[in-house]
mmCIF file with all atom_site columns, all heavy atoms in Angstrom:
data_model
loop_
_atom_site.group_PDB
_atom_site.id
_atom_site.type_symbol
_atom_site.label_atom_id
_atom_site.label_alt_id
_atom_site.label_comp_id
_atom_site.label_asym_id
_atom_site.label_entity_id
_atom_site.label_seq_id
_atom_site.pdbx_PDB_ins_code
_atom_site.Cartn_x
_atom_site.Cartn_y
_atom_site.Cartn_z
_atom_site.occupancy
_atom_site.B_iso_or_equiv
_atom_site.pdbx_formal_charge
_atom_site.auth_seq_id
_atom_site.auth_comp_id
_atom_site.auth_asym_id
_atom_site.auth_atom_id
_atom_site.pdbx_PDB_model_num
ATOM 1   N N   . ALA A 1 227 ? 119.271 107.159 85.474 1.00 98.00 ? 481 ALA A N   1
ATOM 2   C CA  . ALA A 1 227 ? 120.028 108.005 84.537 1.00 98.00 ? 481 ALA A CA  1
ATOM 3   C C   . ALA A 1 227 ? 119.170 108.467 83.363 1.00 98.00 ? 481 ALA A C   1
ATOM 4   O O   . ALA A 1 227 ? 119.659 109.151 82.453 1.00 98.00 ? 481 ALA A O   1
ATOM 5   C CB  . ALA A 1 227 ? 121.246 107.225 84.031 1.00 98.00 ? 481 ALA A CB  1
ATOM 6   N N   . GLY A 1 228 ? 117.894 108.075 83.359 1.00 98.00 ? 482 GLY A N   1
ATOM 7   C CA  . GLY A 1 228 ? 116.985 108.511 82.285 1.00 98.00 ? 482 GLY A CA  1
ATOM 8   C C   . GLY A 1 228 ? 117.200 107.765 80.983 1.00 98.00 ? 482 GLY A C   1
ATOM 9   O O   . GLY A 1 228 ? 116.805 108.229 79.914 1.00 98.00 ? 482 GLY A O   1
ATOM 10  N N   . GLU A 1 229 ? 117.819 106.590 81.069 1.00 98.00 ? 483 GLU A N   1
ATOM 11  C CA  . GLU A 1 229 ? 118.160 105.876 79.824 1.00 98.00 ? 483 GLU A CA  1
ATOM 12  C C   . GLU A 1 229 ? 117.104 104.888 79.348 1.00 98.00 ? 483 GLU A C   1
ATOM 13  O O   . GLU A 1 229 ? 117.266 104.276 78.299 1.00 98.00 ? 483 GLU A O   1
ATOM 14  C CB  . GLU A 1 229 ? 119.502 105.148 80.007 1.00 98.00 ? 483 GLU A CB  1
ATOM 15  C CG  . GLU A 1 229 ? 120.667 106.102 80.044 1.00 98.00 ? 483 GLU A CG  1
ATOM 16  C CD  . GLU A 1 229 ? 121.964 105.439 79.649 1.00 98.00 ? 483 GLU A CD  1
ATOM 17  O OE1 . GLU A 1 229 ? 121.943 104.578 78.754 1.00 98.00 ? 483 GLU A OE1 1
ATOM 18  O OE2 . GLU A 1 229 ? 122.982 105.778 80.266 1.00 98.00 ? 483 GLU A OE2 1
ATOM 19  N N   . ILE A 1 230 ? 116.048 104.690 80.137 1.00 98.00 ? 484 ILE A N   1
ATOM 20  C CA  . ILE A 1 230 ? 115.014 103.721 79.743 1.00 98.00 ? 484 ILE A CA  1
ATOM 21  C C   . ILE A 1 230 ? 113.703 104.466 79.483 1.00 98.00 ? 484 ILE A C   1
ATOM 22  O O   . ILE A 1 230 ? 113.230 105.215 80.340 1.00 98.00 ? 484 ILE A O   1
ATOM 23  C CB  . ILE A 1 230 ? 114.786 102.664 80.861 1.00 98.00 ? 484 ILE A CB  1
ATOM 24  C CG1 . ILE A 1 230 ? 116.098 101.978 81.266 1.00 98.00 ? 484 ILE A CG1 1
ATOM 25  C CG2 . ILE A 1 230 ? 113.723 101.644 80.447 1.00 98.00 ? 484 ILE A CG2 1
ATOM 26  C CD1 . ILE A 1 230 ? 116.772 101.166 80.184 1.00 98.00 ? 484 ILE A CD1 1
ATOM 27  N N   . ASP A 1 231 ? 113.105 104.237 78.309 1.00 98.00 ? 485 ASP A N   1
ATOM 28  C CA  . ASP A 1 231 ? 111.841 104.917 77.978 1.00 98.00 ? 485 ASP A CA  1
ATOM 29  C C   . ASP A 1 231 ? 110.617 104.084 78.334 1.00 98.00 ? 485 ASP A C   1
ATOM 30  O O   . ASP A 1 231 ? 109.571 104.639 78.647 1.00 98.00 ? 485 ASP A O   1
ATOM 31  C CB  . ASP A 1 231 ? 111.809 105.265 76.484 1.00 98.00 ? 485 ASP A CB  1
ATOM 32  C CG  . ASP A 1 231 ? 112.921 106.229 76.144 1.00 98.00 ? 485 ASP A CG  1
ATOM 33  O OD1 . ASP A 1 231 ? 112.937 107.327 76.733 1.00 98.00 ? 485 ASP A OD1 1
ATOM 34  O OD2 . ASP A 1 231 ? 113.799 105.881 75.327 1.00 98.00 ? 485 ASP A OD2 1
ATOM 35  N N   . LEU A 1 232 ? 110.726 102.780 78.184 1.00 98.00 ? 486 LEU A N   1
ATOM 36  C CA  . LEU A 1 232 ? 109.616 101.925 78.602 1.00 98.00 ? 486 LEU A CA  1
ATOM 37  C C   . LEU A 1 232 ? 110.135 100.521 78.868 1.00 98.00 ? 486 LEU A C   1
ATOM 38  O O   . LEU A 1 232 ? 111.210 100.134 78.396 1.00 98.00 ? 486 LEU A O   1
ATOM 39  C CB  . LEU A 1 232 ? 108.467 101.901 77.587 1.00 98.00 ? 486 LEU A CB  1
ATOM 40  C CG  . LEU A 1 232 ? 108.630 101.272 76.211 1.00 98.00 ? 486 LEU A CG  1
ATOM 41  C CD1 . LEU A 1 232 ? 107.266 101.072 75.565 1.00 98.00 ? 486 LEU A CD1 1
ATOM 42  C CD2 . LEU A 1 232 ? 109.479 102.148 75.303 1.00 98.00 ? 486 LEU A CD2 1
ATOM 43  N N   . VAL A 1 233 ? 109.359 99.800  79.691 1.00 99.00 ? 487 VAL A N   1
ATOM 44  C CA  . VAL A 1 233 ? 109.695 98.407  80.012 1.00 99.00 ? 487 VAL A CA  1
ATOM 45  C C   . VAL A 1 233 ? 108.583 97.546  79.436 1.00 99.00 ? 487 VAL A C   1
ATOM 46  O O   . VAL A 1 233 ? 107.402 97.865  79.599 1.00 99.00 ? 487 VAL A O   1
ATOM 47  C CB  . VAL A 1 233 ? 109.770 98.202  81.549 1.00 99.00 ? 487 VAL A CB  1
ATOM 48  C CG1 . VAL A 1 233 ? 110.111 96.750  81.885 1.00 99.00 ? 487 VAL A CG1 1
ATOM 49  C CG2 . VAL A 1 233 ? 110.786 99.157  82.178 1.00 99.00 ? 487 VAL A CG2 1
ATOM 50  N N   . ILE A 1 234 ? 108.962 96.476  78.739 1.00 99.00 ? 488 ILE A N   1
ATOM 51  C CA  . ILE A 1 234 ? 107.957 95.517  78.245 1.00 99.00 ? 488 ILE A CA  1
ATOM 52  C C   . ILE A 1 234 ? 108.453 94.107  78.586 1.00 99.00 ? 488 ILE A C   1
ATOM 53  O O   . ILE A 1 234 ? 109.586 93.750  78.245 1.00 99.00 ? 488 ILE A O   1
ATOM 54  C CB  . ILE A 1 234 ? 107.737 95.578  76.718 1.00 99.00 ? 488 ILE A CB  1
ATOM 55  C CG1 . ILE A 1 234 ? 107.657 97.019  76.209 1.00 99.00 ? 488 ILE A CG1 1
ATOM 56  C CG2 . ILE A 1 234 ? 106.476 94.798  76.343 1.00 99.00 ? 488 ILE A CG2 1
ATOM 57  C CD1 . ILE A 1 234 ? 107.546 97.131  74.681 1.00 99.00 ? 488 ILE A CD1 1
ATOM 58  N N   . THR A 1 235 ? 107.615 93.342  79.270 1.00 99.00 ? 489 THR A N   1
ATOM 59  C CA  . THR A 1 235 ? 107.954 91.940  79.542 1.00 99.00 ? 489 THR A CA  1
ATOM 60  C C   . THR A 1 235 ? 106.789 91.057  79.100 1.00 99.00 ? 489 THR A C   1
ATOM 61  O O   . THR A 1 235 ? 105.697 91.541  78.828 1.00 99.00 ? 489 THR A O   1
ATOM 62  C CB  . THR A 1 235 ? 108.220 91.685  81.043 1.00 99.00 ? 489 THR A CB  1
ATOM 63  O OG1 . THR A 1 235 ? 106.960 91.613  81.736 1.00 99.00 ? 489 THR A OG1 1
ATOM 64  C CG2 . THR A 1 235 ? 109.090 92.753  81.679 1.00 99.00 ? 489 THR A CG2 1
ATOM 65  N N   . GLY A 1 236 ? 107.030 89.767  79.100 1.00 98.00 ? 490 GLY A N   1
ATOM 66  C CA  . GLY A 1 236 ? 105.954 88.812  78.834 1.00 98.00 ? 490 GLY A CA  1
ATOM 67  C C   . GLY A 1 236 ? 105.255 88.450  80.137 1.00 98.00 ? 490 GLY A C   1
ATOM 68  O O   . GLY A 1 236 ? 105.431 89.115  81.163 1.00 98.00 ? 490 GLY A O   1
ATOM 69  N N   . ALA A 1 237 ? 104.454 87.395  80.076 1.00 98.00 ? 491 ALA A N   1
ATOM 70  C CA  . ALA A 1 237 ? 103.797 86.863  81.278 1.00 98.00 ? 491 ALA A CA  1
ATOM 71  C C   . ALA A 1 237 ? 103.582 85.373  81.098 1.00 98.00 ? 491 ALA A C   1
ATOM 72  O O   . ALA A 1 237 ? 103.470 84.891  79.961 1.00 98.00 ? 491 ALA A O   1
ATOM 73  C CB  . ALA A 1 237 ? 102.462 87.551  81.519 1.00 98.00 ? 491 ALA A CB  1
ATOM 74  N N   . ASP A 1 238 ? 103.552 84.670  82.205 1.00 98.00 ? 492 ASP A N   1
ATOM 75  C CA  . ASP A 1 238 ? 103.265 83.227  82.173 1.00 98.00 ? 492 ASP A CA  1
ATOM 76  C C   . ASP A 1 238 ? 101.827 82.917  82.548 1.00 98.00 ? 492 ASP A C   1
ATOM 77  O O   . ASP A 1 238 ? 101.277 81.883  82.178 1.00 98.00 ? 492 ASP A O   1
ATOM 78  C CB  . ASP A 1 238 ? 104.232 82.470  83.091 1.00 98.00 ? 492 ASP A CB  1
ATOM 79  C CG  . ASP A 1 238 ? 105.597 82.403  82.448 1.00 98.00 ? 492 ASP A CG  1
ATOM 80  O OD1 . ASP A 1 238 ? 106.317 83.419  82.494 1.00 98.00 ? 492 ASP A OD1 1
ATOM 81  O OD2 . ASP A 1 238 ? 105.914 81.364  81.846 1.00 98.00 ? 492 ASP A OD2 1
ATOM 82  N N   . ARG A 1 239 ? 101.227 83.816  83.325 1.00 98.00 ? 493 ARG A N   1
ATOM 83  C CA  . ARG A 1 239 ? 99.801  83.659  83.651 1.00 98.00 ? 493 ARG A CA  1
ATOM 84  C C   . ARG A 1 239 ? 99.301  85.010  84.167 1.00 98.00 ? 493 ARG A C   1
ATOM 85  O O   . ARG A 1 239 ? 99.925  85.631  85.022 1.00 98.00 ? 493 ARG A O   1
ATOM 86  C CB  . ARG A 1 239 ? 99.626  82.582  84.727 1.00 98.00 ? 493 ARG A CB  1
ATOM 87  C CG  . ARG A 1 239 ? 98.193  82.226  84.957 1.00 98.00 ? 493 ARG A CG  1
ATOM 88  C CD  . ARG A 1 239 ? 97.962  81.215  86.089 1.00 98.00 ? 493 ARG A CD  1
ATOM 89  N NE  . ARG A 1 239 ? 98.634  79.953  86.034 1.00 98.00 ? 493 ARG A NE  1
ATOM 90  C CZ  . ARG A 1 239 ? 98.045  78.758  86.228 1.00 98.00 ? 493 ARG A CZ  1
ATOM 91  N NH1 . ARG A 1 239 ? 96.750  78.696  86.453 1.00 98.00 ? 493 ARG A NH1 1
ATOM 92  N NH2 . ARG A 1 239 ? 98.761  77.653  86.223 1.00 98.00 ? 493 ARG A NH2 1
ATOM 93  N N   . ILE A 1 240 ? 98.159  85.436  83.637 1.00 98.00 ? 494 ILE A N   1
ATOM 94  C CA  . ILE A 1 240 ? 97.568  86.698  84.063 1.00 98.00 ? 494 ILE A CA  1
ATOM 95  C C   . ILE A 1 240 ? 96.218  86.388  84.694 1.00 98.00 ? 494 ILE A C   1
ATOM 96  O O   . ILE A 1 240 ? 95.354  85.771  84.056 1.00 98.00 ? 494 ILE A O   1
ATOM 97  C CB  . ILE A 1 240 ? 97.403  87.662  82.870 1.00 98.00 ? 494 ILE A CB  1
ATOM 98  C CG1 . ILE A 1 240 ? 98.774  87.925  82.211 1.00 98.00 ? 494 ILE A CG1 1
ATOM 99  C CG2 . ILE A 1 240 ? 96.768  88.983  83.320 1.00 98.00 ? 494 ILE A CG2 1
ATOM 100 C CD1 . ILE A 1 240 ? 98.719  88.713  80.906 1.00 98.00 ? 494 ILE A CD1 1
ATOM 101 N N   . ALA A 1 241 ? 96.046  86.789  85.945 1.00 98.00 ? 495 ALA A N   1
ATOM 102 C CA  . ALA A 1 241 ? 94.793  86.512  86.656 1.00 98.00 ? 495 ALA A CA  1
ATOM 103 C C   . ALA A 1 241 ? 93.691  87.445  86.151 1.00 98.00 ? 495 ALA A C   1
ATOM 104 O O   . ALA A 1 241 ? 93.959  88.426  85.442 1.00 98.00 ? 495 ALA A O   1
ATOM 105 C CB  . ALA A 1 241 ? 95.010  86.689  88.153 1.00 98.00 ? 495 ALA A CB  1
ATOM 106 N N   . ALA A 1 242 ? 92.452  87.137  86.584 1.00 98.00 ? 496 ALA A N   1
ATOM 107 C CA  . ALA A 1 242 ? 91.285  87.883  86.093 1.00 98.00 ? 496 ALA A CA  1
ATOM 108 C C   . ALA A 1 242 ? 91.322  89.368  86.459 1.00 98.00 ? 496 ALA A C   1
ATOM 109 O O   . ALA A 1 242 ? 90.647  90.186  85.826 1.00 98.00 ? 496 ALA A O   1
ATOM 110 C CB  . ALA A 1 242 ? 90.007  87.246  86.628 1.00 98.00 ? 496 ALA A CB  1
ATOM 111 N N   . ASN A 1 243 ? 92.127  89.735  87.462 1.00 98.00 ? 497 ASN A N   1
ATOM 112 C CA  . ASN A 1 243 ? 92.210  91.162  87.845 1.00 98.00 ? 497 ASN A CA  1
ATOM 113 C C   . ASN A 1 243 ? 93.424  91.863  87.230 1.00 98.00 ? 497 ASN A C   1
ATOM 114 O O   . ASN A 1 243 ? 93.686  93.029  87.546 1.00 98.00 ? 497 ASN A O   1
ATOM 115 C CB  . ASN A 1 243 ? 92.279  91.288  89.371 1.00 98.00 ? 497 ASN A CB  1
ATOM 116 C CG  . ASN A 1 243 ? 93.600  90.783  89.931 1.00 98.00 ? 497 ASN A CG  1
ATOM 117 O OD1 . ASN A 1 243 ? 94.335  90.068  89.236 1.00 98.00 ? 497 ASN A OD1 1
ATOM 118 N ND2 . ASN A 1 243 ? 93.906  91.130  91.168 1.00 98.00 ? 497 ASN A ND2 1
ATOM 119 N N   . GLY A 1 244 ? 94.199  91.152  86.386 1.00 98.00 ? 498 GLY A N   1
ATOM 120 C CA  . GLY A 1 244 ? 95.340  91.776  85.718 1.00 98.00 ? 498 GLY A CA  1
ATOM 121 C C   . GLY A 1 244 ? 96.677  91.550  86.403 1.00 98.00 ? 498 GLY A C   1
ATOM 122 O O   . GLY A 1 244 ? 97.721  91.908  85.857 1.00 98.00 ? 498 GLY A O   1
ATOM 123 N N   . ASP A 1 245 ? 96.685  90.954  87.601 1.00 99.00 ? 499 ASP A N   1
ATOM 124 C CA  . ASP A 1 245 ? 97.970  90.608  88.222 1.00 99.00 ? 499 ASP A CA  1
ATOM 125 C C   . ASP A 1 245 ? 98.682  89.610  87.298 1.00 99.00 ? 499 ASP A C   1
ATOM 126 O O   . ASP A 1 245 ? 98.041  88.663  86.801 1.00 99.00 ? 499 ASP A O   1
ATOM 127 C CB  . ASP A 1 245 ? 97.766  89.922  89.583 1.00 99.00 ? 499 ASP A CB  1
ATOM 128 C CG  . ASP A 1 245 ? 97.191  90.846  90.649 1.00 99.00 ? 499 ASP A CG  1
ATOM 129 O OD1 . ASP A 1 245 ? 97.121  92.072  90.422 1.00 99.00 ? 499 ASP A OD1 1
ATOM 130 O OD2 . ASP A 1 245 ? 96.804  90.318  91.724 1.00 99.00 ? 499 ASP A OD2 1
ATOM 131 N N   . ALA A 1 246 ? 99.985  89.803  87.088 1.00 99.00 ? 500 ALA A N   1
ATOM 132 C CA  . ALA A 1 246 ? 100.670 88.994  86.073 1.00 99.00 ? 500 ALA A CA  1
ATOM 133 C C   . ALA A 1 246 ? 101.911 88.301  86.629 1.00 99.00 ? 500 ALA A C   1
ATOM 134 O O   . ALA A 1 246 ? 102.800 88.962  87.165 1.00 99.00 ? 500 ALA A O   1
ATOM 135 C CB  . ALA A 1 246 ? 101.063 89.881  84.903 1.00 99.00 ? 500 ALA A CB  1
ATOM 136 N N   . ALA A 1 247 ? 101.964 86.987  86.482 1.00 98.00 ? 501 ALA A N   1
ATOM 137 C CA  . ALA A 1 247 ? 103.170 86.242  86.875 1.00 98.00 ? 501 ALA A CA  1
ATOM 138 C C   . ALA A 1 247 ? 104.125 86.203  85.692 1.00 98.00 ? 501 ALA A C   1
ATOM 139 O O   . ALA A 1 247 ? 103.712 85.957  84.562 1.00 98.00 ? 501 ALA A O   1
ATOM 140 C CB  . ALA A 1 247 ? 102.799 84.816  87.285 1.00 98.00 ? 501 ALA A CB  1
#
Side-chain angles (χ1 to χ4, degrees):
E483 288 204 37
I484 306 296
D485 297 301
L486 67 166
V487 180
I488 317 176
T489 78
D492 286 78
R493 189 184 304 228
I494 302 172
N497 70 343
D499 292 350

